[in-house]
Amino acid sequence: MNILVLCTGNSARSILLEGLLDHHGFQSFSAGSKPAGQVHPWALPTLKRHGIVLDTPSSKSWDVFAAPDAPIMDLVITVCGNAANEVCPVWPGAPLRAHWGVEDPAAAAPAAQERAFEEAFQILRRRADAFAALAPEARTPEALARIGQLA
């Protein structure tokens, strides 16, 4: 199963969920509509603290996955939160879609970012664990929406 995790900047939340889904054995990718160009300094240490290492983490445009030779996505998950002025990217096509919004830990004050990244990680971990526990035939839009409500 190919899973694309989208967020505007592709530097924090989408990187965390990409790592979590990869850790569960899914072919996972992340991208952004307006990529930051680099992974946030707290994203990889947060994953590593939990035994998760991404092979080639990068902040990249979703255009990479719209190219003709890109993998076909089975599921697209957006992770943008409900912060003011934050717009989630929309993925064209017909893959299964889900929104698992999480507040942006990169938007926290510098002194609070380590804690904010850990909180975002824990929310996304519970969601990734719940998704991985679903039988393939149970991966419905309704089930994905319920998972997206897990705190």
Side-chain angles (χ1 to χ4, degrees):
M1 178 172 217
N2 289 331
I3 303 173
L4 178 60
V5 183
L6 293 177
C7 198
T8 307
N10 186 220
S11 69
R13 297 164 286 188
S14 53
I15 298 290
L16 294 175
L17 187 54
E18 175 187 7
L20 284 158
L21 292 169
D22 187 71
H23 189 70
H24 275 293
F26 295 101
Q27 185 67 36
S28 58
F29 310 90
S30 68
S33 56
K34 296 176 186 168
Q38 62 185 13
V39 175
H40 191 280
W42 279 110
L44 299 179
T46 301
L47 288 170
K48 188 175 181 181
R49 200 169 38 250
H50 295 280
I52 300 171
V53 177
L54 281 172
D55 288 335
T56 55
S58 66
S59 174
K60 60 204 153 297
S61 172
W62 63 357
D63 293 341
V64 170
F65 299 100
D69 60 343
I72 303 294
M73 295 302 154
D74 301 300
L75 172 61
V76 175
I77 302 171
T78 53
V79 290
C80 303
N82 296 318
N85 302 318
E86 184 178 27
V87 179
C88 279
V90 176
W91 187 254
L96 192 58
R97 299 166 197 242
H99 177 68
W100 295 355
V102 176
E103 293 304 317
D104 187 3
Q113 283 186 350
E114 182 177 13
R115 190 175 113 240
F117 268 83
E118 183 62 28
E119 289 173 2
F121 175 88
Q122 292 301 334
I123 291 168
L124 292 168
R125 181 189 55 77
R126 286 188 283 280
R127 294 173 184 179
D129 291 351
F131 177 75
L134 286 177
E137 64 275 7
R139 295 177 184 150
T140 63
E142 297 78 19
L144 295 174
R146 282 191 301 277
I147 289 171
Q149 298 303 308
L150 295 175

